[in-house]
Amino acid sequence: MVKYVYAFEEGKAGMKQLLGGKGANLAEMTNMGIPVPPGFTITTEVCDLYNKSKGNYPEEVDRQVDEQLKKLEKKMNARFGDAENPLLVSVRSGAAVSMPGMMDTVLNLGLNDKSVEGFIKKTGNPRFVYDAYRRLINMFGDVVMGVDHHHFESILTQLKEEKGVEFDVNLEAEDWKKAVEEYKKVVKKVAGKEFPQEPKIQLKMAIDAVFSSWGSKRAIAYRQIHDIRGLLGTAVNVQTMVFGNMGTNSGTGVAFTRNPSTGDNHFYGEYLINAQGEDVVAGIRTPEPIDHLKKKFPKIYAELEGIYKKLEQHYKEMEDIEFTFQEGKLYMLQTRTGKRTAMAALKIAVDMVKEGLIDKKTAILRVQPKQLEQLMHKQLDPKAKEKANVIGKGLPASPGAAVGKAAFTADDAVKMKEAGEKVILVRTETSPEDIQGMNSAEGILTARGGMTSHAAVVARGMGKCCVAGCGDITVDESKRQFKAKDIVIKEGEWITLDGTEGKVFQGKIDTMDPQLSGDFGTFIGWADAYRRLGVKTNADTPKDCQKARGFGAKGVGLCRTEHMFFEGNRIKAVREMILAETEEERKKAINKLLPYQKEDFVGIFEAMSGLPVTIRLLDPPLHEFLPKEEKDIKEIAKEMKVSPEHLKGVIDSLHEFNPMLGFRGSRLGIIYPEIYEMQARAIIEAAIEVNKKGKEAIPQIMIPLIGVVNEAKDLHARIKRVADDVIKTSNARLKYKIGTMIELPRACIVADQLAKELEFFSFGTNDLTQTTYGLSRDDAGKFIPKYIELGIFEKDPFQVLDAEGVGGLMKICIEKARKANPKIELGICGEHGGDPESVETSHKLGLDYVSCSPFRVPIARLAAAHAVLKEEAAKK
Amino acid sequence: MVKYVYAFEEGKAGMKQLLGGKGANLAEMTNMGIPVPPGFTITTEVCDLYNKSKGNYPEEVDRQVDEQLKKLEKKMNARFGDAENPLLVSVRSGAAVSMPGMMDTVLNLGLNDKSVEGFIKKTGNPRFVYDAYRRLINMFGDVVMGVDHHHFESILTQLKEEKGVEFDVNLEAEDWKKAVEEYKKVVKKVAGKEFPQEPKIQLKMAIDAVFSSWGSKRAIAYRQIHDIRGLLGTAVNVQTMVFGNMGTNSGTGVAFTRNPSTGDNHFYGEYLINAQGEDVVAGIRTPEPIDHLKKKFPKIYAELEGIYKKLEQHYKEMEDIEFTFQEGKLYMLQTRTGKRTAMAALKIAVDMVKEGLIDKKTAILRVQPKQLEQLMHKQLDPKAKEKANVIGKGLPASPGAAVGKAAFTADDAVKMKEAGEKVILVRTETSPEDIQGMNSAEGILTARGGMTSHAAVVARGMGKCCVAGCGDITVDESKRQFKAKDIVIKEGEWITLDGTEGKVFQGKIDTMDPQLSGDFGTFIGWADAYRRLGVKTNADTPKDCQKARGFGAKGVGLCRTEHMFFEGNRIKAVREMILAETEEERKKAINKLLPYQKEDFVGIFEAMSGLPVTIRLLDPPLHEFLPKEEKDIKEIAKEMKVSPEHLKGVIDSLHEFNPMLGFRGSRLGIIYPEIYEMQARAIIEAAIEVNKKGKEAIPQIMIPLIGVVNEAKDLHARIKRVADDVIKTSNARLKYKIGTMIELPRACIVADQLAKELEFFSFGTNDLTQTTYGLSRDDAGKFIPKYIELGIFEKDPFQVLDAEGVGGLMKICIEKARKANPKIELGICGEHGGDPESVETSHKLGLDYVSCSPFRVPIARLAAAHAVLKEEAAKK
């Protein structure tokens, strides 16, 4: 005989799949001797049977419910539907995963025209009883019989009008009795059926309604959105009613065993006297802080204190609890793991280890890597935010908050910053030319582009707040303004960005500083002890290097050199190089950059002394260094001493239909070898100079976008020749490595050939995702949201590394590479390096390290530890 | 003891690798009893030793040379350097693969101040002997001692001036004797060494010079360009001199055993009386046709006839021969396989099978698939071409010839064609909007774009001549003209294109019609009997389908539907669809296209009755259907009854940074399902209509650009629902298949998942090459030529399928797909389908078919047969 129904004392916390979270925890508490109103749980299997059979489950279920009901009657010394001493119960849903508010509840079940009399006898409080009865009819009518709530609401409004009173509290027993009659009438009228008087029928109908609610549109959508899978259904909990609204000696409350915002080990919560749970939630009356309870009901508080401490000790977790006291007697109605902020999660994890409650592994798994992002950036003051005017919503491209005056060109941003202003750079989209403006800004807002658009990537690299692809706004750079529906924001007007939520606000909103508590260091140190993956950073400046080093990066996994080409006078030399008509001219121009590049690298090597620094040679197509607008072309032509027509001709000849698939990366190095030769020289000269100062530079030269082995052979030979020549001439000793980014599917297929020529591979997973999917990250933003909504993509592959497709290619690459060259170092330096799920994929693929932007280094460190611990757990 | 030197009678034709082509064939002829001046060959192994040891080969080589020389002296009854009866020899290079003109030759070796007297005694002709001696010094000085030819030339000029004569023929014995002295002086002056008098030293130096020439820049470059690999080096042939210039009873000639232009079985060649081989080549005197020899020297002709017939019977090939007759005695100096035109190759192959000379397999392998292209298109008259003015050179994008008046917009081209003009459409680049103009034009010329640019692909599909990416010209569409250096060609001026060579000519050049002889059908029928791969065609119109069917295509492998969207009124409906703001409006607009699409498909199904027709659903990004120019935007906005600003806004919102990686292919189908639903309906309705007429439509619906399995699931279900609904409503029976193009690396990696959902895959190797390499075909033209020059790419991967990288991914895909769905049909429909090497790769990969443009169908059929026969040969 299958057991379909469990009395609370028959279950335990480990039976969540069968009893649901609420049921399992009620059982656990019951068995711990904590006062829980008695009851029983109908299993999730019955829900499954209900849904599969379109409402027909075995009669055995009814039999077992009946049996449990009898035991309950006996235990409570009361009888269901009794005219003297009626048993009242609640019917509540509860799946294995919490789905708050998604399914239905019916209270006060067991009341009818007969038992209402018995209940009055028992309580001596007719007003309370009729109120309870009309609440039952309302909830039952709404949830079980499909009579919308507003029907009941309008009866109540009419009653109060007739009586000339404003609040429910002014209504008396007779009024509620009248309401009961009216409610019954409206049920019959709308549902076409009487409100059932037989309590057992009420119960069966309520149970079925809960099971049915599992398949409601609302619940299905909720599960899709929250990616909840593999559940049988919901359980149903039938529990003896207790009443917090039975007078001033009754009450109800919710609490956390520790502060969920700060993590302080201090009981935290609120309660209401003479109220039911729903009154707390509805927010009609303002609840009182939990410590008032200590003064007003010291006995209850003491008992509650004992219980919450016992629960924490038992669950070894911060718990979120619900309680009710009825005429001075305390009952626990729920316990579950409490949600918390990042700061709280960290503090609670560390504290609990110190208290000996949990071990370090458990502590590590208690903090979600993504949560750490909350700690890294400025935040908006939540209270100020509530009152502010949201004028647009875009992608949460780079977290944190920024407040500043709108600027519409990079130059304007620089000038305003120089004049002491705080600036938000607002652009339709950004390009590498905007880099100085972005640097001067507090935050960046763009109307176009995705999570990995230029603006987003650069902003995250800079640790600056960014809202990207905000389709709600239209930017008019020429008029120096943007429009968001009817609102026009002009240059110099204040706006505020919330990069964590992707929101744009009008005006100034107060911000709060981030706090990296001492707990952080302790905690992340524990994580480091478990992880196998190394964590490096993507950083282009000494400042970023220092920041990342502070966050625990063990080297630079990606230093892009193209940003350096835009600064100050350099861009002029770059343009001279592009406009050169002979190799001689080109060399002359490019060599002007040598001292600058060397200086850049000296700073970076110094900041990263003793750690490897991977420098990527020039990658973007040359047209990115030339102007686009007619006006700029004229200006720059004048500066370059060429005719605007000539410059335009060069720009036209460099135009590309698909720049992502164009003349860039190693292709530049092959066709214009002098560029990479100059860069190799600058790197090696810088390293030698740094070493002479007693520091240790460990350069790793990375060639971008290699697809065929001959590119690797040719460029490796060229770079090595220059490097060895510099070392020999300087009479120095220096070890360096030469490697490549793996960004092309073809590179993965011929990885064995490449691995024989090179010493390291770093997966550029942004570009590899683009080429593997045939999807431009700048263009895909238009349909990826719809793809996810339709379930075509489970996740945005530019945010979470696609383990199946891109990962499948990486696996081929890694196997071939390791077989051909067992010493090869393998890492990942795409934006995915800072995404926890992608870090886990990287771990499973057997990479040596991940590299990510400085602010994501702690996230990657924690995610890497999680990957190990999850793997361990899966093996058990 | 290694044998380094072989007398001619010791070798045979099969020893080409060791003796070189010339040496092996001289040996073969000697052993056949054909009169060959005696001699010997020094092996290619010695060349290898020479080059590896920087000029030092074993003394044993000298010993063996000496030994053979002695035998030669004995045989000829003459002695090397003798004052009475000297032996004279030639020294010629000859590798296993012919490298005409790339290495060096020295004639008359053995003459010196002493033997010159003996030679005069022997010949009684001092003028001839001194002329021979000065020729030796000239050649030896130039080839062996590094004294440039011009030194000798200026001495000769001076001599003639002194004597007051114009031609060499006017010089007498004394003059030549004087020349000999002057030549010796200049050798000493320039080389710093005397011309060596000792014949054995002459011989050794000449042999070394030939070996050394193998490593010359010129020879290395030649081997690179012609992809000649795996050879040890050149052999050296030392052969007794015979003289065709010993008077009017002597002569020399070259001939082919059959006509190399037409293939007629008729001896074909020319000869000169009293001349040496070099005189024929130099073109100073006009040679006479070989049949004159029959009249003038009937005995020699009869002997020659016997020899050439014997050679053909022996080699079972059309031979290219060289002969000399000295004082009435005939000698053969060379025989080798004769080069021939496509027409000749075909006729000779078929004739030789009929003559019982070769079997069908051999015949099939005698015709190169690429050669067939020559037969398929109009050609320029070679004589007219010689005189014409080449004004630009671009890519040979689509073969054939075209003559017409320049037009600079598609509209102009249409109008000019309607006015009865022949037109060449000249554009900077073409887009789908130009399709009507391209259709109206005789040929297409573009300044930008590669071998697989829009212009090139469409032109090949249409079988129209196209020169693409002609960087020599600058097109100014607004002025209706283009510039090629100083020449300006305006609208209406005549130009001529040679699509086979990629040349652009000023003015009109005469053309010739292609000829598909009866031999073609016979020959290709033989090939079909051997091939395993099916051959289908890429065709978008009934006309193309008929053409391809005539060429032997067994179905349509790719019918693109986007071109159909541009015709007549359709484009308006397409634009309405794009501008639609609700699903309802969009459906309304798209349904206007239904009757047109259905009509298109009816025509195609009828043309292809009984054969499968694979129709690809809409693929290009929507912005391709909208105007780009300000003027067109205004015009079309008016037509569409929207404001230009609104239209511009839509265009802006559809703009893509990398359209190749953008919102196209199945992504359109997912987001706007009504498009594919309309197309599926049109296809199925058309098929049913055609079947009702008693024909047989076999539709295969192909979804473009699938990357994730959910795209396949979603679209398969939608298309199937529509198709089954139409079939049911029509009360018809119809089988159809649903498949996808494989264009993305990710599709290859998850091919097992896709294969479970779909019935066929067709590799879109153009796009798959782009994504695998991360290379845009439209942009890569800028550096691919340089990449090939530098040896980074062996071949252009857009012309020849990359067997290693792209093929590697295809292999993964095919294995996964066949394992998951053994019934799946696999083919290729990229441009590679018509390239012979790519067809061979497709065969090796185990595909079921290739599909290519109509004019390439015969090429693919032959290439597929070659693939089988080569595989058979490799197994033996």
Side-chain angles (χ1 to χ4, degrees), chain B residues 466-539:
Chain B
C466 173
V467 175
C470 180
D472 298 338
I473 67 164
T474 320
V475 181
D476 189 335
E477 273 100 350
S478 63
K479 288 194 187 159
R480 301 280 199 275
Q481 64 176 43
F482 76 87
K483 259 182 150 175
K485 280 179 197 147
D486 314 329
I487 297 167
V488 176
I489 304 283
K490 290 185 189 299
E491 185 181 75
E493 291 185 16
W494 286 94
I495 55 171
T496 299
L497 304 182
D498 180 342
T500 314
E501 297 190 346
K503 283 181 184 160
V504 185
F505 303 88
Q506 191 172 18
K508 275 174 89 164
I509 303 181
D510 292 344
T511 57
M512 304 193 316
D513 263 345
Q515 296 185 322
L516 271 192
S517 71
D519 290 332
F520 177 80
T522 310
F523 177 81
I524 204 77
W526 296 343
D528 286 344
Y530 289 104
R531 68 180 158 93
R532 186 190 58 69
L533 272 178
V535 177
K536 300 185 185 181
T537 191
N538 300 349

Side-chain angles (χ1 to χ4, degrees), chain B residues 598-770:
Chain B
K598 188 175 159 185
E599 194 188 318
D600 293 328
F601 298 139
V602 164
I604 288 169
F605 285 135
E606 283 183 347
M608 279 286 164
S609 176
L611 296 173
V613 174
T614 312
I615 296 168
R616 180 176 74 184
L617 303 181
L618 192 71
D619 183 46
L622 297 179
H623 50 75
E624 287 201 6
F625 298 101
L626 295 181
K628 279 171 203 153
E629 306 294 328
E630 202 68 44
K631 190 183 130 267
D632 298 338
I633 292 171
K634 274 186 192 153
E635 206 169 287
I636 286 162
K638 204 173 160 190
E639 197 187 321
M640 304 300 301
K641 290 168 191 157
V642 297
S643 73
E645 289 69 35
H646 178 70
L647 181 56
K648 212 163 167 332
V650 172
I651 292 167
D652 279 354
S653 77
L654 287 174
H655 169 264
E656 293 186 313
F657 300 100
N658 295 285
M660 180 52 54
L661 308 176
F663 182 44
R664 50 173 287 238
S666 70
R667 297 156 191 169
L668 292 172
I670 295 281
I671 305 293
Y672 300 130
E674 46 281 4
I675 302 177
Y676 284 6
E677 283 168 2
M678 179 279 288
Q679 291 197 296
R681 177 173 293 275
I683 292 167
I684 300 297
E685 285 184 0
I688 291 171
E689 187 175 316
V690 167
N691 287 354
K692 279 192 185 146
K693 295 184 199 167
K695 299 201 171 184
E696 189 192 0
I698 308 177
Q700 303 202 334
I701 300 173
M702 181 153 74
I703 308 163
L705 204 80
I706 275 185
V708 299
V709 70
N710 288 341
E711 288 168 336
K713 282 185 184 169
D714 182 292
L715 293 172
H716 184 279
R718 279 182 190 283
I719 292 165
K720 190 168 184 312
R721 195 170 58 237
V722 170
D724 291 349
D725 182 53
V726 173
I727 293 169
K728 203 176 155 192
T729 311
S730 316
N731 218 345
R733 277 169 165 250
L734 181 75
K735 280 191 181 172
Y736 64 92
K737 286 185 177 178
I738 303 173
T740 184
M741 278 181 97
I742 300 286
E743 300 164 273
L744 302 174
R746 197 179 190 284
C748 296
I749 300 294
V750 301
D752 46 346
Q753 297 174 19
L754 299 180
K756 283 178 194 153
E757 308 297 328
L758 301 164
E759 292 164 280
F760 66 89
F761 285 177
S762 176
F763 288 96
T765 50
N766 298 346
D767 281 7
L768 187 59
T769 299
Q770 298 194 78

Side-chain angles (χ1 to χ4, degrees), chain A residues 429 655 657 711 776 782 787, chain B residues 429 655 657 711 782 787:
Chain A
E429 64 211 305
H655 170 263
F657 299 100
E711 287 168 336
S776 156
K782 281 173 200 159
Y787 252 50
Chain B
E429 64 210 302
H655 169 264
F657 300 100
E711 288 168 336
K782 282 174 198 156
Y787 253 50

Side-chain angles (χ1 to χ4, degrees), chain A residues 686-716:
Chain A
I688 291 170
E689 187 175 315
V690 168
N691 287 354
K692 279 191 185 147
K693 294 185 200 167
K695 299 204 170 183
E696 189 192 1
I698 308 177
Q700 305 202 333
I701 300 173
M702 181 153 74
I703 307 164
L705 205 80
I706 275 185
V708 299
V709 70
N710 288 340
E711 287 168 336
K713 283 185 182 168
D714 182 293
L715 293 172
H716 185 278

Side-chain angles (χ1 to χ4, degrees), chain B residues 267 293 300-308 321 323 330 332:
Chain B
F267 194 42
L293 191 71
I300 287 174
Y301 186 85
E303 195 184 351
L304 191 58
E305 194 173 28
I307 290 169
Y308 94 70
I321 59 179
F323 62 91
L330 177 67
M332 300 306 296

Side-chain angles (χ1 to χ4, degrees), chain A residues 429 448 652-663 666-667 670-671 705 708 710-711 714 744-747 749-750 753 770-776 778-779 782-783 786-787 790-793 802 804-806 808-809 812, chain B residues 429 448 652-663 666-667 670-671 705 708 710-711 714 744-747 749-750 753 770-776 778-779 782-783 786-787 790-793 802 804-806 808-809 812:
Chain A
E429 64 211 305
R448 284 203 205 141
D652 278 354
S653 77
L654 288 174
H655 170 263
E656 293 185 314
F657 299 100
N658 295 285
M660 178 54 51
L661 307 176
F663 183 44
S666 70
R667 296 156 191 169
I670 295 279
I671 305 292
L705 205 80
V708 299
N710 288 340
E711 287 168 336
D714 182 293
L744 303 174
R746 198 179 190 285
I749 300 293
V750 302
Q753 298 174 20
Q770 298 194 75
T771 48
T772 303
Y773 273 89
L775 208 55
S776 156
D778 290 322
D779 301 314
K782 281 173 200 159
F783 60 90
K786 185 84 183 168
Y787 252 50
L790 292 172
I792 304 288
F793 281 174
D802 160 37
E804 188 172 75
V806 179
L809 264 174
I812 292 169
Chain B
E429 64 210 302
R448 283 202 206 141
D652 279 354
S653 77
L654 287 174
H655 169 264
E656 293 186 313
F657 300 100
N658 295 285
M660 180 52 54
L661 308 176
F663 182 44
S666 70
R667 297 156 191 169
I670 295 281
I671 305 293
L705 204 80
V708 299
N710 288 341
E711 288 168 336
D714 182 292
L744 302 174
R746 197 179 190 284
I749 300 294
V750 301
Q753 297 174 19
Q770 298 194 78
T771 48
T772 304
Y773 273 88
L775 207 56
S776 155
D778 289 322
D779 301 314
K782 282 174 198 156
F783 59 90
K786 186 84 185 171
Y787 253 50
L790 292 172
I792 303 289
F793 281 173
D802 160 38
E804 187 172 76
V806 179
L809 263 173
I812 292 169

Side-chain angles (χ1 to χ4, degrees), chain B residues 785-807:
Chain B
K786 186 84 185 171
Y787 253 50
I788 290 171
E789 189 187 319
L790 292 172
I792 303 289
F793 281 173
E794 208 180 297
K795 280 159 188 165
D796 181 343
F798 293 115
Q799 290 184 34
V800 178
L801 183 62
D802 160 38
E804 187 172 76
V806 179

